[in-house]
């Protein structure tokens, strides 16, 4: 048998017990168990519940269906690897950084004349 005092201190259920009058706590436990069975029977992972002051529980909305583990596929890369030749440059060698120093030898400072 379970203890209502221990269930009342459970963090997931504490807000329901705080809302319901202590006289109706057994009704609340019975209604919550029934709601959990309905959600599991529907194959859903979560649900939005409405709790009455006398312990009545109504399922307002059912959550998403439980994901199928066999539906997982690994992510395919959307770009080519860096070693692929398509990433090479087509800029002429005359415009590369090494030859750029020949045209403009003064990298910093100078009067510009």
């Amino acid at each position: 048998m379970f203890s209502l005092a221990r269930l009342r201190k459970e963090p997931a259920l504490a807000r329901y017990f705080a809302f319901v009058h202590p006289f109706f706590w057994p009704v609340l436990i019975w209604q919550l168990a029934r709601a959990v069975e309905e959600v599991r029977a529907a194959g859903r992972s979560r649900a939005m519940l409405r709790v009455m002051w006398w312990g009545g529980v109504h399922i307002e909305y059912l959550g998403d269906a439980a994901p199928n583990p066999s539906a997982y596929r690994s992510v395919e890369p959307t770009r080519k690897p860096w070693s692929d030749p398509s990433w090479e440059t087509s800029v002429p060698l005359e415009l590369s950084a090494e030859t750029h120093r020949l045209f403009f030898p003064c990298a910093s400072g100078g009067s510009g004349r």
Side-chain angles (χ1 to χ4, degrees):
M1 195 68 190
F2 55 86
S3 168
L4 288 176
R6 273 197 332 184
L7 282 175
R8 182 174 56 99
K9 293 178 184 175
E10 184 69 31
L13 302 175
R15 59 185 172 162
Y16 300 133
F17 279 97
F19 186 69
V20 175
H21 191 276
F23 182 74
F24 296 109
W25 284 356
V27 175
L28 175 66
I29 294 298
W30 175 64
Q31 291 280 319
L32 284 174
R34 190 176 65 94
V36 167
E37 289 175 6
E38 287 183 28
V39 170
R40 286 185 181 162
R44 303 302 174 105
S45 58
R46 296 176 185 256
M48 180 183 279
L49 303 176
R50 181 173 47 152
V51 179
M52 307 296 179
W53 65 269
W54 51 270
V57 175
H58 296 282
I59 299 174
E60 292 294 320
Y61 299 102
L62 287 174
D64 295 333
N68 186 359
S70 65
Y72 174 75
R73 290 179 291 158
S74 60
V75 179
E76 297 178 10
T78 57
R79 65 164 184 84
K80 297 178 181 178
W82 292 116
S83 59
D84 192 90
S86 66
W87 290 106
E88 293 179 2
T89 182
S90 61
V91 175
L93 187 59
E94 291 80 22
L95 298 177
S96 66
E98 291 80 22
T99 58
H100 196 56
R101 288 191 207 114
L102 296 174
F103 295 119
F104 305 105
C106 186
S108 64
S111 64
R113 294 185 188 163

